[in-house]
Amino acid sequence: MPRNHAFSSPVSRVIRWGIIGCGDVTDMKSGPGFQKADLDAVYIATPPDSHCEYALLAAKAGKPAYIEKPFARNSTAGQTIQAAFQEHNLPVYVAYY
């Protein structure tokens, strides 16, 4: 089977993440991720009712975001998040673990 070189080649640089969430991982690795200028992306791992708020802040700050599922509390919030990232020409992803 042919290899997909996009996924098999080494990473050319380190991605600097800002993590917004709760628990030990955020205590060790983060601060308000969208406020740090040297970060490449934001990981949002908060309770679902705050995903939209933090996603909109990340988009406004020009940071791509990776959001824990559920992506949003309802379809309106999901559409609001998607529109904000499209407006800023940024990717937004759902964390499916």
Side-chain angles (χ1 to χ4, degrees):
M1 174 179 271
R3 293 177 67 180
N4 182 336
H5 292 287
F7 294 105
S8 62
S9 54
V11 175
S12 60
R13 67 183 182 96
V14 173
I15 296 174
R16 297 164 297 184
W17 285 94
I19 302 172
I20 302 167
C22 47
D24 292 340
V25 69
T26 55
D27 292 340
M28 293 185 304
K29 295 184 178 179
S30 75
F34 51 85
Q35 294 178 356
K36 295 182 178 181
D38 65 337
L39 296 178
D40 300 309
V42 175
Y43 176 61
I44 300 172
T46 57
D49 62 344
S50 63
H51 287 183
C52 187
E53 173 189 357
Y54 287 122
L56 296 179
L57 289 169
K60 184 177 177 183
K63 307 291 183 190
Y66 191 61
I67 304 171
E68 278 291 334
K69 63 178 174 64
F71 185 71
R73 295 294 289 174
N74 55 51
S75 62
T76 301
Q79 291 169 352
T80 299
I81 292 169
Q82 189 65 37
F85 281 83
Q86 286 177 344
E87 177 184 335
H88 294 282
N89 197 31
L90 294 166
V92 60
Y93 305 96
V94 179
Y96 290 104
Y97 292 116

